[in-house]
Amino acid sequence: MKYIFCDIDGTLYSPKIDDIPSSAKKAMKIARENGNRIYLCTGRGLAECQKYLGYDVDGFIFAAGALIYDSKKRIFDHPFLKSDVVKLKSMLHERNIGYVCEAMAGAYADEKGMTAIMNYFCDPSVSYEKKYANAMSNGFYPEEYAHEDDPIYKICCYSNDLNQFTKLASVLPDPYILTLTVRDPIYQNHCSEITNSYCTKSTGIKEVLKRHDAGFKDAIAIGDSANDIPMIRDCGLGIAMGNAFDDVKEIADFVTTDILDNGIWNAFRKAGVLGNDSNLDTESGH
């Protein structure tokens, strides 16, 4: 049995089709039928994963390791201190960097952050009303919707200038770090995330594995972005998507095909979790 940890954005989910490719869904189904356990290991908070909570998986690692559910039980919960959230938001306001505070009940965005989110889920040419509705359906809300008792686990930052992220990273207080997660060369809709340095996708995986008397050698990690590097590096088999950042590909054990070119199916196939008789019937996989 293998423990498979899959990132969501850029690995399972593609905004180009606003869905998970059918070949990836089929691969996950077969892998679980073969006795493997599958976890969605994402930078998204719980609220942004509402579309995936009913998926036939074994658990979730949310907010890049800060909130973990295994077999429907919450096993790890490490939100930001409220006072730290106030300080971090002030730093972002001062630098005119948009943000989304990812909490338990929702992800709350300032005006600039909401615009970036709407453009992530839809082509910028789509009407404002449709973009706004799509963002809301994925758990993103304007900042005024936030409740002070809703714990924040991560803050995503948005800018069209990558240099802003470099400057921000140099002044973040301990224990917080900044990780670039989306490079958008077309629309310059770049994203970085502020996380607690003690919580990574790798530490989240370790929490899950120890509950099953398993180790990293029993785990497979698949991802595309910089926040996937710790888990791809530490798991027994680390796989980068064909559309992954170059630095992710460099540390992976192998690189599969693009997300829309049956990337998950081919990764699972090479990892040996689909069995010998599984065939992909769909032509494009999406």
Side-chain angles (χ1 to χ4, degrees):
M1 180 175 68
K2 291 296 183 181
Y3 297 81
I4 306 169
F5 297 88
C6 285
D7 171 50
I8 292 181
D9 292 285
T11 300
L12 288 175
Y13 170 83
S14 171
K16 292 180 180 179
I17 60 171
D18 192 26
D19 200 357
I20 295 176
S22 59
S23 60
K25 296 175 183 177
K26 182 176 180 180
M28 290 192 292
K29 181 177 184 294
I30 294 173
R32 290 193 81 240
E33 290 173 347
N34 286 341
N36 302 288
R37 295 178 69 89
I38 296 179
Y39 295 82
L40 301 190
C41 188
T42 177
R44 294 192 189 200
L46 187 153
E48 301 125 86
C49 291
Q50 54 188 287
K51 292 183 176 181
Y52 309 106
L53 297 181
Y55 268 56
D56 194 15
V57 295
D58 297 281
F60 300 85
I61 297 176
F62 298 115
L67 179 64
I68 306 171
Y69 285 80
D70 185 16
S71 302
K72 299 182 180 180
K73 295 181 180 179
R74 185 166 53 182
I75 65 169
F76 187 83
D77 190 341
H78 193 80
F80 288 8
L81 294 174
K82 289 184 179 180
S83 58
D84 288 349
V85 173
V86 173
K87 293 175 184 176
L88 291 168
K89 287 170 64 175
S90 178
M91 293 177 68
L92 296 172
H93 275 303
E94 290 172 0
R95 290 162 176 79
N96 195 31
I97 296 175
Y99 61 80
V100 174
C101 293
E102 299 185 354
M104 182 73 78
Y108 308 109
D110 72 347
E111 184 176 355
K112 191 171 182 179
M114 195 67 177
T115 297
I117 283 296
M118 290 192 298
N119 287 336
Y120 173 75
F121 285 107
C122 292
D123 187 279
S125 63
V126 172
S127 71
Y128 177 89
E129 290 75 18
K130 183 174 181 179
K131 288 191 288 187
Y132 188 82
N134 203 5
M136 295 274 279
S137 72
N138 280 278
F140 293 90
Y141 309 100
E143 194 168 25
E144 55 265 29
Y145 281 57
H147 191 282
E148 62 178 11
D149 292 329
D150 197 2
I152 304 299
Y153 292 88
K154 196 187 75 174
I155 299 177
C156 279
C157 312
Y158 297 89
S159 175
N160 56 13
D161 183 359
L162 289 172
N163 290 325
Q164 281 192 302
F165 292 150
T166 302
K167 295 175 182 177
L168 177 63
S170 68
V171 297
L172 283 179
D174 289 335
Y176 299 101
I177 59 173
L178 190 72
T179 304
L180 180 65
T181 54
V182 176
R183 294 189 188 104
D184 185 349
I186 298 176
Y187 299 111
Q188 303 299 306
N189 189 28
H190 309 302
C191 175
S192 288
E193 58 186 29
I194 299 174
T195 57
N196 188 314
S197 61
Y198 299 116
C199 299
T200 69
K201 290 188 177 183
S202 182
T203 63
I205 289 172
K206 187 175 181 180
E207 289 290 331
V208 171
L209 293 173
K210 72 181 184 182
R211 292 187 78 242
H212 298 277
D213 295 321
F216 280 120
K217 68 181 187 306
D218 305 304
I220 299 170
I222 309 175
D224 71 296
S225 185
N227 66 5
D228 298 315
I229 288 177
M231 71 172 184
I232 290 175
R233 178 195 62 215
D234 293 341
C235 286
L237 180 61
I239 303 170
M241 298 297 290
N243 48 280
F245 289 6
D246 287 341
D247 49 355
V248 178
K249 293 178 179 179
E250 289 172 1
I251 58 97
D253 292 301
F254 73 85
V255 179
T256 185
T257 50
D258 185 273
I259 183 173
L260 295 180
D261 187 22
N262 306 319
I264 288 295
W265 175 272
N266 291 327
F268 277 34
R269 184 78 169 180
K270 189 163 184 177
V273 296
L274 297 182
N276 296 322
D277 299 322
S278 297
N279 295 307
L280 184 59
D281 298 324
T282 177
E283 292 183 2
S284 63
H286 60 274

